[in-house]
Amino acid sequence: IHTSRRKDNKLSASATDDSSILKPASDTLKPSTSKPATFKLSPSDFAFLWDACQRCFYLKVHKLLPRPQTPFPRIFNTIDSQMKEFFRGVSTQDIDPKMKAGIFLCEEKDAWVQSKPLVIAGHKSQIVLQGMIDCITKYEDGTYGVVDFKTSSVSKYLQSYSRQLHAYAICLENAAE
């Protein structure tokens, strides 16, 4: 049962499934005269939090309930630093001859990227993508690629990793000023 207080100060109750528990009762919706909401999304949350818990994703994006911080084992920072050091300045062809010719531009620290506000077709709200990129490849034809180092099985999480990389690409193609 979901209860809410209407503008006339009466309680409204309705049976609901878990997916709509945070949505207001339909009779309380009014057209908004304020500017559209802008939601900030991290490519990692967009990929992994969405898969793990869509309600958790909604609560975080709407700033209703932040995710608890979990300790990040230092070993992963060490592995990340070692991978960046290994790849920095290396030709893509030296890693895999099938790769497009270019060079890895890995910095010591991850590059912070943020998109300008993006309008989603059919929605009034906007999104801003922001996050940290592990490495960029600069190809000989003048194009770039995004590299995100992984320590887990890529095939197991391929769809999530793909969504994450596409979000970074959209972020870079629509970079904030």
Side-chain angles (χ1 to χ4, degrees):
I1 301 291
H2 171 69
T3 61
S4 63
R5 188 163 300 277
R6 299 186 322 197
K7 289 203 182 232
D8 61 4
N9 215 21
K10 293 181 182 175
L11 283 178
S12 161
S14 60
T16 179
D17 64 17
D18 286 344
S19 65
S20 64
I21 204 161
L22 294 173
K23 295 179 184 174
S26 61
D27 65 342
T28 63
L29 293 177
K30 303 274 187 229
S32 174
T33 57
S34 62
K35 71 178 196 170
T38 300
F39 298 102
K40 292 187 177 180
L41 301 173
S42 129
S44 300
D45 286 343
F46 195 55
F48 303 106
L49 184 54
W50 177 261
D51 286 343
C53 176
Q54 291 179 8
R55 175 181 287 156
C56 301
F57 176 84
Y58 177 89
L59 292 172
K60 180 180 180 190
V61 169
H62 288 268
K63 298 180 181 178
L64 297 172
L65 183 64
R67 298 273 296 174
Q69 294 293 318
T70 56
F72 193 71
R74 280 193 309 192
I75 187 67
F76 292 115
N77 289 332
T78 302
I79 292 169
D80 184 64
S81 295
Q82 293 297 312
M83 290 201 300
K84 288 176 186 171
E85 187 176 321
F86 175 82
F87 284 98
R88 189 176 301 124
V90 173
S91 166
T92 56
Q93 302 269 288
D94 290 343
I95 300 302
D96 185 348
K98 292 182 260 173
M99 283 185 78
K100 194 173 176 178
I103 191 166
F104 288 92
L105 304 175
C106 305
E107 299 295 325
E108 259 184 66
K109 299 219 180 247
D110 293 340
W112 175 260
V113 294
Q114 180 173 318
S115 74
K116 60 186 174 189
L118 304 168
V119 176
I120 307 301
H123 296 275
K124 292 180 183 174
S125 300
Q126 304 174 53
I127 63 168
V128 171
L129 297 171
Q130 59 186 20
M132 306 287 271
I133 292 180
D134 288 342
C135 187
I136 300 280
T137 50
K138 182 178 182 181
Y139 299 113
E140 289 179 359
D141 66 3
T143 61
Y144 292 86
V146 177
V147 177
D148 196 66
F149 297 120
K150 299 298 179 195
T151 56
S152 60
S153 170
V154 173
S155 60
K156 184 177 179 182
Y157 301 105
L158 189 58
Q159 183 177 3
S160 296
Y161 291 153
S162 176
R163 191 169 39 234
Q164 180 185 24
L165 289 172
H166 280 89
Y168 279 126
I170 291 169
C171 185
L172 291 169
E173 290 167 353
N174 298 279
E177 302 292 314

